[in-house]
Amino acid sequence: MNDKITLLAVLTVGTAFTFLWLMLCKERLRIKWYAALPIAVLHTICGVLCVKVFAVVEVGFDMSKAGNMSLFGGIFILPLFYYLGAKLTRRKPAEVFDVFTICMIFTLMCARFNCILSGCCAGKVIPGLSIRWPTRELEILFYIVLLFWLGRPVRQSKRVGMIYPLYMIAYGAFRFLTEWLRTYETTALLHRGHVWALITLALGLSIYYTQREKIQKRGGKQRR
């Protein structure tokens, strides 16, 4: 029960941030202020569903582990909702992705903070010491850096269409490196976390260069 209350509290914080962020970006998305709250709530619900569904998929649909979460679900599945929402509301996908990538980052940061509170996803014990690698804390710090790095150009309408791929590139590289410090049931040198991280990195690079090529073909210049 305490874990559920903690998760609910963390998700509430994530929803509040999303609401405030959407209020700041409402002109860019062309939404009314009263639409920001239901969109924020829906974003949190979709985010939770994505990380839970992906966790079940990556363990071979073992429903006994349906309570698990995989943050890669936010990266691979949640953007489908962004694209669908953009098409249904006739908004430019690039604008929607730019704004909601910041929401995704903060939501996943909240999920990782919940890992600390619930005691899961711990790092390996550092050889010769009685402490573990602070993988969860490092990831939270990484998210904070991303929020400042990517949040500013979003507010200034710069790097249009590049925010999501930049996030994928950065997160893929970060997770690939920190996967060696995380606790896993297998003792193999590489495990599924490394695979998902490499896929994230590869997709991010592919989307980034595709977007840049489109901008160059249009004769436009990417604002920095």
Side-chain angles (χ1 to χ4, degrees):
M1 181 62 71
N2 289 335
D3 288 345
K4 291 183 178 180
I5 293 176
T6 299
L7 178 59
L8 180 60
V10 170
L11 292 178
T12 300
V13 173
T15 303
F17 174 88
T18 299
F19 169 72
L20 294 174
W21 179 253
L22 292 179
M23 289 293 290
L24 290 174
C25 301
K26 65 180 186 297
E27 287 81 11
R28 185 170 179 183
L29 290 178
R30 293 181 288 111
I31 61 174
K32 301 296 183 181
W33 66 267
Y34 50 78
L37 183 57
I39 292 174
V41 173
L42 182 61
H43 182 271
T44 298
I45 293 174
C46 290
V48 172
L49 290 176
C50 289
V51 297
K52 284 186 173 293
V53 168
F54 196 83
V56 173
V57 171
E58 70 176 359
V59 294
F61 296 94
D62 183 354
M63 296 310 296
S64 66
K65 299 181 179 179
N68 293 349
M69 293 187 181
S70 174
L71 299 195
F72 284 109
I75 297 174
F76 295 136
I77 305 179
L78 196 53
L80 298 178
F81 289 94
Y82 297 162
Y83 185 79
L84 180 61
K87 289 300 183 180
L88 290 176
T89 59
R90 297 182 179 180
R91 285 166 172 77
K92 293 181 179 179
E95 299 286 349
V96 173
F97 270 79
D98 282 357
V99 172
F100 278 94
T101 295
I102 304 303
C103 302
M104 180 195 297
I105 293 172
F106 193 88
T107 300
L108 296 182
M109 183 178 73
C110 289
R112 188 58 78 199
F113 185 75
N114 183 66
C115 291
I116 296 177
L117 298 177
S118 61
C120 65
C121 303
K124 294 179 179 178
V125 175
I126 301 176
L129 300 175
S130 58
I131 59 175
R132 296 178 179 273
W133 291 103
T135 52
R136 299 167 301 188
E137 293 79 4
L138 285 174
E139 189 163 337
I140 289 174
L141 179 61
F142 174 76
Y143 285 131
I144 293 173
V145 173
L146 280 182
L147 288 173
F148 281 99
W149 176 45
L150 299 177
R152 185 174 181 180
V154 173
R155 287 286 293 132
Q156 297 175 344
S157 296
K158 295 181 178 180
R159 293 183 178 272
V160 178
M162 297 296 193
I163 302 302
Y164 177 63
L166 284 173
Y167 164 58
M168 291 187 76
I169 294 169
Y171 188 71
F174 174 84
R175 277 297 295 267
F176 184 81
L177 294 175
T178 58
E179 282 300 298
W180 275 301
L181 306 179
R182 290 161 56 88
T183 300
Y184 270 89
E185 296 176 357
T186 177
T187 57
L189 181 61
L190 298 176
H191 38 72
R192 66 172 180 266
H194 283 106
V195 175
W196 295 131
L198 285 176
I199 292 175
T200 300
L201 177 59
L203 284 175
L205 288 170
S206 176
I207 296 172
Y208 179 86
Y209 285 107
T210 299
Q211 286 290 100
R212 193 172 74 169
E213 185 177 351
K214 287 181 179 179
I215 293 172
Q216 292 174 345
K217 285 184 177 180
R218 290 197 301 263
K221 294 183 180 180
Q222 183 65 40
R223 286 177 290 176
R224 297 183 181 277

